[in-house]
């Protein structure tokens, strides 16, 4: 393996330092995108609301700075409001409560945090469509047509269900997670090992209707962040179940992703985008994939494969560090050029909080820590 890795310590230290500085500026907040140098603040029910708390916990793990823990716990209290109000809760409770409530309980033994994590898991399990064997995405408030929709992102919420099953020694949560993962294998994954953003099912019969483009170029495109969710999500499913079919899917989707990267290792927003639109990048897809590849490498027994995915993750992180990071005071974020939705011209080539989160999570894995998902 590559031994010239001194930059990793530097990137890790700089990232943690920036989180500490930012904590004093934004405190209890729910940042999503960084505009004009400053992170915005979304409502507590917004799907990215757990990532800032997660960054604080990642930094706290390394520094034991109690001020970070205090802010993270205050964020968690705010997150309990939509959890109990129910109506704004959606499929992304894994993104919201794994890096906040579940980690608080896991690391400190906080019983109230355990309860919040289990309530969130129950919400997620309650979204399961028995006929189609999928977890329904979004709510009618987001899109009135979404009753039969499942999205690739939801693979990354399944760790919450796996955790809940182990925590209370009840396999029902795990069974739902496995059923959803199997539906993704059957109805999302194409022969070329790419996935669409959205699949529409008949919510009454469970039959698949069609692929939808969502935040990708179209129904048949390869939205780069969608591929990253699939790489990491299937790796976690393999870790939690020991089922090699998920491992195979993670590897093959990763192979597609890696073979289509530009030289700087940060993907275009969609791998099938037109040449004129290749200026649109998504650093968040790179960061998530890097963390997912590190997870994948730990599951492999073949040393050649293990080394390949491990070094591929390092190459992506190096590309991010060299070309897409900013540790100055000019902006709140660490990574630049993430893209939320190019088809909707929504937050294109701007810093995004989950890019920062997965970047620091991946660097933490290189320092011997486990990820939060």
């Amino acid at each position: 393996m590559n031994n010239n890795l001194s930059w990793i310590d530097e990137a890790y230290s700089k990232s943690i330092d920036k989180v500490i500085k930012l904590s004093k500026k934004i405190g209890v907040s729910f940042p999503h995108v960084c505009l004009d140098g400053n992170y915005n603040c979304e409502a507590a029910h917004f799907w990215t609301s757990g990532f800032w708390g997660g960054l604080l916990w990642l930094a706290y793990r390394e520094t034991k700075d109690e001020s970070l823990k205090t802010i993270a716990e205050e964020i968690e209290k705010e997150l309990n409001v939509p959890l109990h109000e129910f109506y704004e809760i959606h499929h992304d409770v894994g993104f919201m409560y794994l890096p906040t409530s579940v980690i608080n309980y896991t690391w400190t033994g906080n019983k109230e945090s355990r309860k919040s994590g289990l309530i969130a898991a129950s919400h997620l399990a309650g979204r399961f469509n028995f006929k189609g064997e999928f977890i329904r995405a979004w709510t009618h408030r987001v899109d009135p047509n979404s009753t039969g929709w499942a999205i690739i992102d939801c693979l990354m919420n399944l760790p919450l269900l796996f955790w809940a099953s182990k925590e209370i020694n009840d396999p029902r949560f795990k069974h739902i997670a496995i059923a959803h993962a199997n539906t993704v294998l059957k109805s999302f994954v194409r022969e070329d090992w790419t996935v669409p953003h959205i699949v529409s099912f008949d919510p009454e019969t469970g039959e698949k209707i069609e692929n939808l483009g969502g935040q990708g170029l179209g129904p048949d495109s390869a939205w780069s962040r969608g591929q990253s969710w699939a790489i990491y999500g299937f790796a976690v499913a393999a870790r939690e179940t020991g089922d090699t079919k998920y491992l195979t899917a993670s590897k093959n989707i990763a192979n597609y992703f890696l073979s289509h990267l530009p030289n700087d290792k940060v993907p275009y927003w969609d791998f099938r985008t037109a040449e004129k639109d290749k200026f649109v990048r998504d650093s968040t897809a790179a960061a998530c994939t890097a963390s997912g590849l590190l997870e994948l490498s730990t599951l492999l027994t073949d040393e050649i494969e293990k080394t390949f995915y491990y070094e591929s993750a390092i190459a992506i992180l190096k590309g991010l560090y060299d070309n897409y990071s900013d540790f100055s005071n000019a902006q709140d974020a660490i990574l630049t050029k993430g893209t939320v939705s190019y088809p909707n011209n929504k937050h294109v080539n701007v810093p995004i909080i989950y890019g920062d989160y997965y970047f620091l999570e991946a660097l933490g894995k290189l320092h011997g820590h486990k990820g939060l998902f």
Side-chain angles (χ1 to χ4, degrees):
M1 295 184 183
N2 186 353
N3 293 318
N4 184 23
L5 301 176
S6 59
W7 62 269
I8 293 174
D9 290 337
E10 186 177 85
Y12 189 49
S13 177
K14 285 183 176 180
S15 295
I16 289 174
D17 286 346
K18 187 149 191 178
V19 170
I20 293 171
K21 289 179 182 176
L22 187 60
S23 71
K24 295 173 172 56
K25 176 182 178 181
I26 71 171
V28 179
S29 183
F30 303 103
H32 175 212
V33 292
C34 190
L35 305 173
D36 297 323
N38 300 296
Y39 262 128
N40 73 338
C41 180
E42 299 285 355
H45 65 259
F46 194 70
W47 79 273
T48 64
S49 60
F51 287 111
W52 172 232
L55 276 164
L56 293 167
W57 280 115
L58 290 176
Y60 170 78
R61 177 173 61 183
E62 193 65 39
T63 65
K64 299 300 184 288
D65 183 333
E66 287 295 318
S67 69
L68 301 175
K69 178 173 176 283
T70 298
I71 298 170
E73 290 181 330
E74 289 299 317
I75 287 171
E76 186 181 345
K77 290 177 183 177
E78 294 292 323
L79 283 172
N80 279 334
V81 175
L83 184 66
H84 294 287
E85 287 183 347
F86 180 75
Y87 289 107
E88 298 287 358
I89 285 294
H90 39 76
H91 66 277
D92 278 328
V93 288
F95 285 130
M96 294 169 68
Y97 297 97
L98 272 167
T100 53
S101 299
V102 173
I103 286 305
N104 191 0
Y105 166 66
T106 302
W107 291 355
T108 74
N110 186 309
K111 297 297 184 182
E112 287 301 309
S113 296
R114 179 181 187 267
K115 184 194 297 184
S116 295
L118 291 172
I119 292 171
S122 295
H123 279 311
L124 187 58
R127 301 182 66 82
F128 185 68
N129 182 301
F130 177 81
K131 282 289 189 179
E133 297 192 316
F134 64 88
I135 295 171
R136 182 252 170 107
W138 294 310
T139 66
H140 281 71
R141 297 187 184 194
V142 174
D143 193 307
N145 300 311
S146 62
T147 307
W149 289 4
I151 63 174
I152 194 62
D153 319 40
C154 199
L155 272 182
M156 288 296 290
N157 290 295
L158 301 188
L160 180 66
L161 297 178
F162 287 120
W163 167 80
S165 270
K166 290 184 289 187
E167 185 60 32
I168 61 174
N169 193 28
D170 186 338
R172 61 196 167 98
F173 294 105
K174 176 183 70 175
H175 292 326
I176 290 173
I178 291 171
H180 181 86
N182 288 342
T183 296
V184 175
L185 272 178
K186 176 184 176 182
S187 297
F188 280 74
V189 180
R190 308 180 181 115
E191 288 186 4
D192 66 352
W193 296 102
T194 63
V195 295
H197 184 191
I198 304 170
V199 170
S200 175
F201 298 88
D202 184 318
E204 290 289 348
T205 68
E207 294 297 314
K208 178 177 177 178
I209 298 172
E210 61 182 340
N211 295 342
L212 299 171
Q215 293 177 0
L217 180 64
D220 300 316
S221 66
W223 175 51
S224 60
R225 192 161 69 253
Q227 314 316 299
S228 72
W229 296 141
I231 292 164
Y232 200 160
F234 277 129
V236 170
R239 182 191 74 203
E240 296 296 328
T241 66
D243 196 324
T244 57
K245 68 175 178 283
Y246 304 132
L247 198 63
T248 298
S250 182
K251 288 193 298 183
N252 283 307
I253 297 168
N255 293 342
Y256 179 94
F257 188 102
L258 294 168
S259 66
H260 288 78
L261 283 177
N263 290 334
D264 65 6
K265 304 299 182 184
V266 171
Y268 314 117
W269 71 283
D270 193 299
F271 287 114
R272 292 175 180 154
T273 191
E275 192 69 33
K276 67 181 179 62
D277 293 327
K278 286 186 175 180
F279 71 95
V280 181
R281 299 299 187 97
D282 192 0
S283 60
T284 73
C288 180
T289 294
S291 196
L293 291 175
L294 292 174
E295 201 69 42
L296 174 60
S297 71
T298 66
L299 306 173
L300 300 170
T301 55
D302 183 282
E303 286 301 321
I304 293 175
E305 282 191 329
K306 182 186 287 285
T307 300
F308 171 71
Y309 293 112
Y310 181 86
E311 292 196 341
S312 294
I314 289 177
I316 291 172
L317 291 170
K318 186 68 160 61
L320 287 168
Y321 181 59
D322 286 347
N323 304 301
Y324 293 83
S325 64
D326 185 345
F327 297 101
S328 73
N329 295 322
Q331 67 169 24
D332 292 344
I334 296 169
L335 294 184
T336 63
K337 293 191 177 181
T339 295
V340 171
S341 179
Y342 187 50
N344 295 311
N345 194 30
K346 185 176 181 181
H347 305 314
V348 175
N349 281 339
V350 300
I352 306 173
I353 192 67
Y354 43 86
D356 288 3
Y357 170 81
Y358 287 111
F359 184 64
L360 185 55
E361 184 189 64
L363 292 170
K365 289 178 180 179
L366 295 177
H367 281 77
H369 297 300
K370 291 183 178 181
L372 305 191
F373 286 83

